Amino acid sequence: MNILIKTALALTMASALPLVGAQAQEARLGYVPVEDHPVGQAVNRFADLVEEKTEGRVEVSTYAGGVLGNEPQTQSMLSGGTLELMVGPTSNLVGAVPEFGIFDLPFFFADFDAVDAVMDGRVGDELFSRLEDKAGIVGLAYWDNGFRHMTNAVRPIETVEDMAGIKIRVIPNPLFIKTFEAVGANPVPLPYPELYNALESGTVDAQETPVGLTYSDKFYEVTDYLTLTGHVYSPYVLLASKSWFDSLSDQDRELVLEAAAETEAYQRGLSRDAADNIANNLLVQEGLEVTTLPAEEQQKLSQMVAPVIEEFADSIGRDLIDQAREDMAAGN
């Protein structure tokens, strides 16, 4: 009897101890910006936190610069369960969940407080819920991508009329296309990794991204004029394949979410602290002529794109848009 008791105790103690040499669960995380970009820095922080919090049970390998594919490709891989993690802009999620188009509405968000009220409130939660149901993707965190601005190689943009006929690369997204058609430009939808070469070859004259990407991806080498329009705010999102996420233990799922939440604040801070310095100093040093669009021209643009907002209100959801406006008002 004593032998049986001792054997049972030994087995119980052994089961409570971690398995020495047990293989870690590996996950690949792909993203398009370069490693020095705030996204890259935050990706590395997230990977370290996951490994630390799970005590090595989950290891995240990171892949910058689109080496695993462009964002539509990695998103498809995520849905299909052939990639575990990615970071990309919400604009690419619109095909799966049209309601994410709320972040593409031109001149909808006045400032970062308004943005955060929506991302961190009921609308942000609802969008992640729909993403999981419709696309098999788990939203882990909303990251900052900054307000979008224009650079071009043709002329300074000081009035709405200056945009006429300029060939501008846009995200392959109907709302972006309609927005730039409404202001008289010629939108050309292209995947992001093709953008630099398209500018260099003259396939397009202009691009519109947050200033962090303009700097990190060296668009100042192939364009001459930056116009601070702040026309759209499209966040980045940290995403997981639902099939991979569900394969984790309950404890490790919670720890991955905890790491994502901690990295969220870190990434937003990095991105926003860098934006003003990049626009006002670094891009000027690299030779870009910087123009802030006058308030009256901003107002003209806002009026010109108002029909676009109305056109897409039903596909995004009028209730969701109203909820976002309530959250923004409450946040202020």
Side-chain angles (χ1 to χ4, degrees):
M1 181 65 72
N2 287 340
I3 292 174
L4 290 174
I5 292 172
K6 289 179 180 178
T7 301
L9 285 171
L11 289 171
T12 300
M13 291 175 65
S15 66
L17 294 172
L19 294 176
V20 177
Q23 188 172 0
Q25 189 157 355
E26 296 183 0
R28 294 161 300 151
L29 195 165
Y31 62 102
V32 167
V34 296
E35 192 171 1
D36 288 343
H37 186 275
V39 163
Q41 296 177 59
V43 160
N44 291 336
R45 175 76 165 263
F46 172 73
D48 290 343
L49 284 171
V50 168
E51 184 171 358
E52 175 188 321
K53 289 176 180 294
T54 64
E55 298 179 332
R57 294 187 299 276
V58 181
E59 291 183 356
V60 178
S61 301
T62 64
Y63 298 85
V67 296
L68 297 183
N70 62 39
E71 285 144 348
Q73 290 169 335
T74 52
Q75 181 181 320
S76 178
M77 293 165 67
L78 220 63
S79 288
T82 57
L83 179 66
E84 294 75 35
L85 294 156
M86 72 169 285
V87 177
T90 53
S91 303
N92 287 310
L93 299 174
V94 171
V97 182
E99 295 88 343
F100 272 101
I102 197 167
F103 291 115
D104 298 331
L105 292 174
F107 301 103
F108 188 72
F109 298 100
D111 51 33
F112 289 127
D113 287 340
V115 167
D116 290 347
V118 173
M119 293 192 299
D120 299 337
R122 291 166 290 182
V123 171
D125 290 342
E126 177 64 23
L127 290 172
F128 274 171
S129 176
R130 296 184 190 189
L131 183 64
E132 187 168 343
D133 291 342
K134 293 183 179 181
I137 294 174
V138 177
L140 301 179
Y142 288 96
W143 285 5
D144 185 69
N145 191 15
F147 284 90
R148 303 178 78 89
H149 307 284
M150 291 178 59
T151 71
N152 82 90
V154 179
R155 55 181 171 265
I157 304 295
E158 298 174 337
T159 68
V160 172
E161 289 74 21
D162 291 331
M163 295 185 184
I166 285 183
K167 294 180 295 182
I168 183 167
R169 176 268 173 183
V170 296
I171 293 170
N173 172 314
L175 207 162
F176 273 81
I177 294 169
K178 291 282 189 177
T179 294
F180 282 93
E181 286 177 344
V183 301
N186 180 15
V188 180
L190 285 174
Y192 188 79
E194 299 176 20
L195 175 53
Y196 186 96
N197 288 340
L199 288 164
E200 188 174 38
S201 67
T203 302
V204 296
D205 306 315
Q207 62 87 27
E208 51 87 43
T209 54
V211 292
L213 286 178
T214 297
Y215 184 73
S216 65
D217 289 357
K218 300 184 178 180
F219 295 138
Y220 54 78
E221 294 179 341
V222 285
T223 57
D224 301 306
Y225 309 101
L226 166 64
T227 308
L228 300 175
T229 53
H231 50 277
V232 163
Y233 183 94
S234 297
Y236 278 119
V237 275
L238 174 62
L239 304 170
S241 164
K242 180 171 168 53
S243 60
W244 170 77
F245 192 69
D246 287 349
S247 75
L248 301 175
S249 68
D250 290 347
Q251 179 188 17
D252 285 345
R253 281 198 297 273
E254 288 300 315
L255 292 171
V256 168
L257 287 170
E258 190 177 290
E262 290 182 23
T263 313
E264 185 177 74
Y266 170 76
Q267 193 277 340
R268 290 187 198 177
L270 278 180
S271 180
R272 293 171 185 178
D273 287 347
D276 285 343
N277 182 52
I278 290 170
N280 297 324
N281 297 304
L282 297 180
L283 290 174
V284 173
Q285 291 172 18
E286 297 297 344
L288 280 186
E289 181 180 324
V290 180
T291 301
T292 299
L293 205 62
E296 59 271 20
E297 296 300 319
Q298 291 272 21
Q299 183 61 30
K300 286 182 189 176
L301 283 176
S302 184
Q303 291 169 352
M304 293 172 78
V305 301
V308 177
I309 295 176
E310 180 61 26
E311 178 180 350
F312 285 85
D314 286 334
S315 63
I316 293 170
R318 293 181 186 273
D319 290 347
L320 200 70
I321 291 173
D322 290 342
Q323 183 63 69
R325 287 177 170 141
E326 285 182 22
D327 290 348
M328 288 188 282
N332 294 331

